[in-house]
């Protein structure tokens, strides 16, 4: 058995100006910026029960992608393959996958509070 | 003064098989399907405080787009223009806009519970 749930989404921005991109999305959505941990991601402050949202600097065309968090990456990737998704590539600890409808999304380690109580449990 | 906040996101699927698309995303994210109101949108059940998430059948390439809900569409569109976004087109009651970083998103009427108490208020 393992668990998973929607963790949130990443706003992928094809831009050399990550600061400007983060400023726009922070103000547009009304979330303040959290401190950067590197020069690629700007996390947004969504509150204790909020989604995990980050503005990311990327080289590919801008988009929004979903993140699914799980306590067992391999089991979750296998479950999603069973639903019709496919593996695109592993990056550090997470898997990039493609939905049968074409969108890319990531399967990541647990990030949000309340995961144990609120995530979906799969047999 | 008006208010706005992130309403949720729409999973745009370029597919003739909306039922199959909704089945995948429902099972992938662990949200049950809500009754369809038409043959284009399948809303997902995210709980009383959850985001507004729908699977949509579209003709353009698949993607995920964000929705911002507001009690004053014109004022919110003007606020977002001031931040650098641009109008793409009006559809029924909502505006499609483009972020300065390129992603399309929509400005829609209030959809979620708790809007009055929790939305951001803009001068």
């Amino acid at each position: 058995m393992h668990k998973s749930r929607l963790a949130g989404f990443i706003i992928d921005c094809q831009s050399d100006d990550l600061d400007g991109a983060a400023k726009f999305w922070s103000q547009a959505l009304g979330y303040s910026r959290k401190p950067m941990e590197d020069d690629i991601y700007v996390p947004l402050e969504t509150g204790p029960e909020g989604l995990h949202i980050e503005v990311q600097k990327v080289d590919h065309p801008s988009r929004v992608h979903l993140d699914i968090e799980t306590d067992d990456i391999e089991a979750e990737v296998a479950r999603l393959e069973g639903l019709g998704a496919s593996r695109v590539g592993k990056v550090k600890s997470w898997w990039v996958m493609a939905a049968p409808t074409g969108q890319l999304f990531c399967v990541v380690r647990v990030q949000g509070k309340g995961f144990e109580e609120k995530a979906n449990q799969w047999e």
Side-chain angles (χ1 to χ4, degrees), chain A residues 77 79-87 97-100 105:
Chain A
V77 167
R79 183 183 77 87
L80 292 160
E81 286 182 312
L83 298 177
S86 54
R87 297 177 196 238
M97 299 193 77
F105 63 96

Side-chain angles (χ1 to χ4, degrees), chain A residues 37-49:
Chain A
E37 292 163 8
D38 53 36
D39 56 358
I40 296 176
Y41 294 97
V42 178
L44 301 183
E45 180 56 70
T46 60
E49 295 286 315

